[in-house]
Amino acid sequence: SIGMAAAARLSTAGGLLAEREATRLINLLNRLGLPTKVPAGRRRILAAIKKDKKKDGRLIRFILLRRIGSAIIRPVPLNELEEVFDDLR
């Protein structure tokens, strides 16, 4: 659910998903009692991401949303991911 929240925020930042849809998704996850905030420190999370099998250089393949129910796979620069994780703390 933390990854879903991150995907929603990345999708909004990338102009794919409307802010209201991202908020709707995150609110739904919260109502279900699922975590949407990153519990670990930024450095620890980013260190784990840098070892992820989906990483290729400074990019990581991420599932992003065009709208709820419509996803695409797109490479995301690590610096964009870092900015989104700041929003998820």
PDB file of all heavy atoms in Angstrom, residues 18-40:
ATOM      1  N   ALA A  18      -4.781  12.743 -12.069  1.00  0.00           N
ATOM      2  CA  ALA A  18      -5.306  13.955 -11.426  1.00  0.00           C
ATOM      3  C   ALA A  18      -5.084  13.872  -9.917  1.00  0.00           C
ATOM      4  O   ALA A  18      -5.177  12.795  -9.326  1.00  0.00           O
ATOM      5  CB  ALA A  18      -6.799  14.100 -11.722  1.00  0.00           C
ATOM      6  N   GLU A  19      -4.793  15.004  -9.316  1.00  0.00           N
ATOM      7  CA  GLU A  19      -4.555  15.077  -7.877  1.00  0.00           C
ATOM      8  C   GLU A  19      -5.728  14.493  -7.096  1.00  0.00           C
ATOM      9  O   GLU A  19      -5.540  13.776  -6.117  1.00  0.00           O
ATOM     10  CB  GLU A  19      -4.294  16.525  -7.454  1.00  0.00           C
ATOM     11  CG  GLU A  19      -4.082  16.721  -5.966  1.00  0.00           C
ATOM     12  CD  GLU A  19      -2.800  16.091  -5.437  1.00  0.00           C
ATOM     13  OE1 GLU A  19      -1.789  16.102  -6.161  1.00  0.00           O
ATOM     14  OE2 GLU A  19      -2.820  15.577  -4.296  1.00  0.00           O
ATOM     15  N   ARG A  20      -6.942  14.779  -7.521  1.00  0.00           N
ATOM     16  CA  ARG A  20      -8.117  14.276  -6.792  1.00  0.00           C
ATOM     17  C   ARG A  20      -8.181  12.748  -6.810  1.00  0.00           C
ATOM     18  O   ARG A  20      -8.641  12.137  -5.858  1.00  0.00           O
ATOM     19  CB  ARG A  20      -9.406  14.891  -7.321  1.00  0.00           C
ATOM     20  CG  ARG A  20      -9.826  14.447  -8.688  1.00  0.00           C
ATOM     21  CD  ARG A  20     -11.108  15.136  -9.161  1.00  0.00           C
ATOM     22  NE  ARG A  20     -11.568  14.614 -10.417  1.00  0.00           N
ATOM     23  CZ  ARG A  20     -10.996  14.810 -11.600  1.00  0.00           C
ATOM     24  NH1 ARG A  20      -9.909  15.565 -11.684  1.00  0.00           N
ATOM     25  NH2 ARG A  20     -11.495  14.285 -12.691  1.00  0.00           N
ATOM     26  N   GLU A  21      -7.715  12.124  -7.901  1.00  0.00           N
ATOM     27  CA  GLU A  21      -7.699  10.661  -7.975  1.00  0.00           C
ATOM     28  C   GLU A  21      -6.641  10.085  -7.044  1.00  0.00           C
ATOM     29  O   GLU A  21      -6.866   9.071  -6.387  1.00  0.00           O
ATOM     30  CB  GLU A  21      -7.484  10.197  -9.410  1.00  0.00           C
ATOM     31  CG  GLU A  21      -8.620  10.574 -10.309  1.00  0.00           C
ATOM     32  CD  GLU A  21      -9.158   9.413 -11.112  1.00  0.00           C
ATOM     33  OE1 GLU A  21      -8.723   8.262 -10.915  1.00  0.00           O
ATOM     34  OE2 GLU A  21     -10.038   9.666 -11.932  1.00  0.00           O
ATOM     35  N   ALA A  22      -5.468  10.728  -6.988  1.00  0.00           N
ATOM     36  CA  ALA A  22      -4.414  10.272  -6.082  1.00  0.00           C
ATOM     37  C   ALA A  22      -4.891  10.381  -4.636  1.00  0.00           C
ATOM     38  O   ALA A  22      -4.721   9.453  -3.841  1.00  0.00           O
ATOM     39  CB  ALA A  22      -3.136  11.082  -6.291  1.00  0.00           C
ATOM     40  N   THR A  23      -5.515  11.499  -4.311  1.00  0.00           N
ATOM     41  CA  THR A  23      -6.042  11.698  -2.961  1.00  0.00           C
ATOM     42  C   THR A  23      -7.108  10.665  -2.645  1.00  0.00           C
ATOM     43  O   THR A  23      -7.143  10.101  -1.549  1.00  0.00           O
ATOM     44  CB  THR A  23      -6.595  13.131  -2.818  1.00  0.00           C
ATOM     45  OG1 THR A  23      -5.524  14.048  -3.070  1.00  0.00           O
ATOM     46  CG2 THR A  23      -7.163  13.375  -1.437  1.00  0.00           C
ATOM     47  N   ARG A  24      -7.974  10.401  -3.600  1.00  0.00           N
ATOM     48  CA  ARG A  24      -9.032   9.393  -3.403  1.00  0.00           C
ATOM     49  C   ARG A  24      -8.430   8.021  -3.101  1.00  0.00           C
ATOM     50  O   ARG A  24      -8.872   7.319  -2.186  1.00  0.00           O
ATOM     51  CB  ARG A  24      -9.896   9.334  -4.661  1.00  0.00           C
ATOM     52  CG  ARG A  24     -10.996   8.334  -4.594  1.00  0.00           C
ATOM     53  CD  ARG A  24     -11.849   8.395  -5.861  1.00  0.00           C
ATOM     54  NE  ARG A  24     -12.705   7.230  -5.906  1.00  0.00           N
ATOM     55  CZ  ARG A  24     -13.024   6.590  -7.014  1.00  0.00           C
ATOM     56  NH1 ARG A  24     -12.597   7.018  -8.185  1.00  0.00           N
ATOM     57  NH2 ARG A  24     -13.806   5.545  -6.975  1.00  0.00           N
ATOM     58  N   LEU A  25      -7.422   7.630  -3.875  1.00  0.00           N
ATOM     59  CA  LEU A  25      -6.776   6.333  -3.669  1.00  0.00           C
ATOM     60  C   LEU A  25      -6.112   6.261  -2.300  1.00  0.00           C
ATOM     61  O   LEU A  25      -6.287   5.287  -1.553  1.00  0.00           O
ATOM     62  CB  LEU A  25      -5.748   6.077  -4.776  1.00  0.00           C
ATOM     63  CG  LEU A  25      -4.915   4.810  -4.645  1.00  0.00           C
ATOM     64  CD1 LEU A  25      -5.788   3.566  -4.651  1.00  0.00           C
ATOM     65  CD2 LEU A  25      -3.884   4.743  -5.749  1.00  0.00           C
ATOM     66  N   ILE A  26      -5.363   7.291  -1.933  1.00  0.00           N
ATOM     67  CA  ILE A  26      -4.661   7.297  -0.648  1.00  0.00           C
ATOM     68  C   ILE A  26      -5.661   7.315   0.513  1.00  0.00           C
ATOM     69  O   ILE A  26      -5.475   6.603   1.509  1.00  0.00           O
ATOM     70  CB  ILE A  26      -3.661   8.469  -0.590  1.00  0.00           C
ATOM     71  CG1 ILE A  26      -2.524   8.188  -1.589  1.00  0.00           C
ATOM     72  CG2 ILE A  26      -3.116   8.666   0.825  1.00  0.00           C
ATOM     73  CD1 ILE A  26      -1.615   9.351  -1.852  1.00  0.00           C
ATOM     74  N   ASN A  27      -6.746   8.070   0.378  1.00  0.00           N
ATOM     75  CA  ASN A  27      -7.777   8.073   1.421  1.00  0.00           C
ATOM     76  C   ASN A  27      -8.409   6.697   1.581  1.00  0.00           C
ATOM     77  O   ASN A  27      -8.686   6.258   2.706  1.00  0.00           O
ATOM     78  CB  ASN A  27      -8.850   9.118   1.121  1.00  0.00           C
ATOM     79  CG  ASN A  27      -8.369  10.534   1.352  1.00  0.00           C
ATOM     80  OD1 ASN A  27      -7.379  10.761   2.043  1.00  0.00           O
ATOM     81  ND2 ASN A  27      -9.059  11.487   0.761  1.00  0.00           N
ATOM     82  N   LEU A  28      -8.640   6.010   0.482  1.00  0.00           N
ATOM     83  CA  LEU A  28      -9.203   4.664   0.543  1.00  0.00           C
ATOM     84  C   LEU A  28      -8.249   3.712   1.265  1.00  0.00           C
ATOM     85  O   LEU A  28      -8.662   2.933   2.135  1.00  0.00           O
ATOM     86  CB  LEU A  28      -9.511   4.149  -0.860  1.00  0.00           C
ATOM     87  CG  LEU A  28     -10.023   2.709  -0.938  1.00  0.00           C
ATOM     88  CD1 LEU A  28     -11.329   2.552  -0.178  1.00  0.00           C
ATOM     89  CD2 LEU A  28     -10.198   2.291  -2.392  1.00  0.00           C
ATOM     90  N   LEU A  29      -6.972   3.768   0.934  1.00  0.00           N
ATOM     91  CA  LEU A  29      -5.982   2.929   1.615  1.00  0.00           C
ATOM     92  C   LEU A  29      -5.972   3.221   3.112  1.00  0.00           C
ATOM     93  O   LEU A  29      -5.918   2.293   3.938  1.00  0.00           O
ATOM     94  CB  LEU A  29      -4.588   3.151   1.008  1.00  0.00           C
ATOM     95  CG  LEU A  29      -4.407   2.698  -0.443  1.00  0.00           C
ATOM     96  CD1 LEU A  29      -3.073   3.185  -0.988  1.00  0.00           C
ATOM     97  CD2 LEU A  29      -4.538   1.197  -0.571  1.00  0.00           C
ATOM     98  N   ASN A  30      -6.034   4.495   3.470  1.00  0.00           N
ATOM     99  CA  ASN A  30      -6.068   4.883   4.892  1.00  0.00           C
ATOM    100  C   ASN A  30      -7.311   4.346   5.590  1.00  0.00           C
ATOM    101  O   ASN A  30      -7.233   3.836   6.710  1.00  0.00           O
ATOM    102  CB  ASN A  30      -5.988   6.402   5.046  1.00  0.00           C
ATOM    103  CG  ASN A  30      -4.605   6.937   4.767  1.00  0.00           C
ATOM    104  OD1 ASN A  30      -3.603   6.293   5.059  1.00  0.00           O
ATOM    105  ND2 ASN A  30      -4.536   8.112   4.187  1.00  0.00           N
ATOM    106  N   ARG A  31      -8.469   4.458   4.930  1.00  0.00           N
ATOM    107  CA  ARG A  31      -9.714   3.961   5.530  1.00  0.00           C
ATOM    108  C   ARG A  31      -9.677   2.451   5.745  1.00  0.00           C
ATOM    109  O   ARG A  31     -10.306   1.927   6.660  1.00  0.00           O
ATOM    110  CB  ARG A  31     -10.916   4.329   4.664  1.00  0.00           C
ATOM    111  CG  ARG A  31     -11.366   5.757   4.858  1.00  0.00           C
ATOM    112  CD  ARG A  31     -12.760   6.021   4.306  1.00  0.00           C
ATOM    113  NE  ARG A  31     -12.931   5.636   2.922  1.00  0.00           N
ATOM    114  CZ  ARG A  31     -12.770   6.448   1.870  1.00  0.00           C
ATOM    115  NH1 ARG A  31     -12.432   7.708   2.052  1.00  0.00           N
ATOM    116  NH2 ARG A  31     -12.952   6.017   0.646  1.00  0.00           N
ATOM    117  N   LEU A  32      -8.943   1.746   4.900  1.00  0.00           N
ATOM    118  CA  LEU A  32      -8.800   0.299   5.052  1.00  0.00           C
ATOM    119  C   LEU A  32      -7.744  -0.072   6.100  1.00  0.00           C
ATOM    120  O   LEU A  32      -7.509  -1.247   6.358  1.00  0.00           O
ATOM    121  CB  LEU A  32      -8.431  -0.337   3.704  1.00  0.00           C
ATOM    122  CG  LEU A  32      -9.528  -0.285   2.636  1.00  0.00           C
ATOM    123  CD1 LEU A  32      -8.996  -0.730   1.294  1.00  0.00           C
ATOM    124  CD2 LEU A  32     -10.720  -1.126   3.062  1.00  0.00           C
ATOM    125  N   GLY A  33      -7.118   0.943   6.682  1.00  0.00           N
ATOM    126  CA  GLY A  33      -6.113   0.702   7.713  1.00  0.00           C
ATOM    127  C   GLY A  33      -4.759   0.303   7.165  1.00  0.00           C
ATOM    128  O   GLY A  33      -3.916  -0.218   7.901  1.00  0.00           O
ATOM    129  N   LEU A  34      -4.532   0.543   5.886  1.00  0.00           N
ATOM    130  CA  LEU A  34      -3.257   0.184   5.264  1.00  0.00           C
ATOM    131  C   LEU A  34      -2.283   1.353   5.345  1.00  0.00           C
ATOM    132  O   LEU A  34      -2.691   2.516   5.259  1.00  0.00           O
ATOM    133  CB  LEU A  34      -3.491  -0.209   3.807  1.00  0.00           C
ATOM    134  CG  LEU A  34      -4.383  -1.438   3.611  1.00  0.00           C
ATOM    135  CD1 LEU A  34      -4.753  -1.599   2.145  1.00  0.00           C
ATOM    136  CD2 LEU A  34      -3.691  -2.677   4.136  1.00  0.00           C
ATOM    137  N   PRO A  35      -1.003   1.061   5.490  1.00  0.00           N
ATOM    138  CA  PRO A  35      -0.024   2.146   5.596  1.00  0.00           C
ATOM    139  C   PRO A  35       0.178   2.867   4.263  1.00  0.00           C
ATOM    140  O   PRO A  35       0.203   2.240   3.207  1.00  0.00           O
ATOM    141  CB  PRO A  35       1.253   1.435   6.037  1.00  0.00           C
ATOM    142  CG  PRO A  35       1.092   0.028   5.577  1.00  0.00           C
ATOM    143  CD  PRO A  35      -0.388  -0.257   5.612  1.00  0.00           C
ATOM    144  N   THR A  36       0.307   4.176   4.338  1.00  0.00           N
ATOM    145  CA  THR A  36       0.590   4.993   3.155  1.00  0.00           C
ATOM    146  C   THR A  36       1.800   5.894   3.383  1.00  0.00           C
ATOM    147  O   THR A  36       2.189   6.631   2.493  1.00  0.00           O
ATOM    148  CB  THR A  36      -0.621   5.863   2.779  1.00  0.00           C
ATOM    149  OG1 THR A  36      -0.967   6.689   3.887  1.00  0.00           O
ATOM    150  CG2 THR A  36      -1.812   5.019   2.361  1.00  0.00           C
ATOM    151  N   LYS A  37       2.369   5.824   4.555  1.00  0.00           N
ATOM    152  CA  LYS A  37       3.546   6.622   4.895  1.00  0.00           C
ATOM    153  C   LYS A  37       4.765   5.698   4.990  1.00  0.00           C
ATOM    154  O   LYS A  37       4.657   4.550   5.422  1.00  0.00           O
ATOM    155  CB  LYS A  37       3.368   7.338   6.235  1.00  0.00           C
ATOM    156  CG  LYS A  37       2.187   8.284   6.276  1.00  0.00           C
ATOM    157  CD  LYS A  37       2.452   9.511   5.465  1.00  0.00           C
ATOM    158  CE  LYS A  37       1.294  10.492   5.583  1.00  0.00           C
ATOM    159  NZ  LYS A  37       1.431  11.596   4.692  1.00  0.00           N
ATOM    160  N   VAL A  38       5.908   6.203   4.612  1.00  0.00           N
ATOM    161  CA  VAL A  38       7.153   5.439   4.669  1.00  0.00           C
ATOM    162  C   VAL A  38       7.626   5.386   6.119  1.00  0.00           C
ATOM    163  O   VAL A  38       7.898   6.432   6.713  1.00  0.00           O
ATOM    164  CB  VAL A  38       8.222   6.077   3.762  1.00  0.00           C
ATOM    165  CG1 VAL A  38       9.531   5.336   3.870  1.00  0.00           C
ATOM    166  CG2 VAL A  38       7.743   6.124   2.324  1.00  0.00           C
ATOM    167  N   PRO A  39       7.699   4.170   6.709  1.00  0.00           N
ATOM    168  CA  PRO A  39       8.064   4.066   8.120  1.00  0.00           C
ATOM    169  C   PRO A  39       9.570   4.193   8.377  1.00  0.00           C
ATOM    170  O   PRO A  39       9.980   4.554   9.469  1.00  0.00           O
ATOM    171  CB  PRO A  39       7.568   2.679   8.509  1.00  0.00           C
ATOM    172  CG  PRO A  39       7.640   1.898   7.247  1.00  0.00           C
ATOM    173  CD  PRO A  39       7.333   2.884   6.140  1.00  0.00           C
ATOM    174  N   ALA A  40      10.376   3.894   7.375  1.00  0.00           N
ATOM    175  CA  ALA A  40      11.829   3.925   7.549  1.00  0.00           C
ATOM    176  C   ALA A  40      12.378   5.262   7.070  1.00  0.00           C
ATOM    177  O   ALA A  40      11.692   6.027   6.391  1.00  0.00           O
ATOM    178  CB  ALA A  40      12.471   2.783   6.759  1.00  0.00           C
TER     179      ALA A  40
END
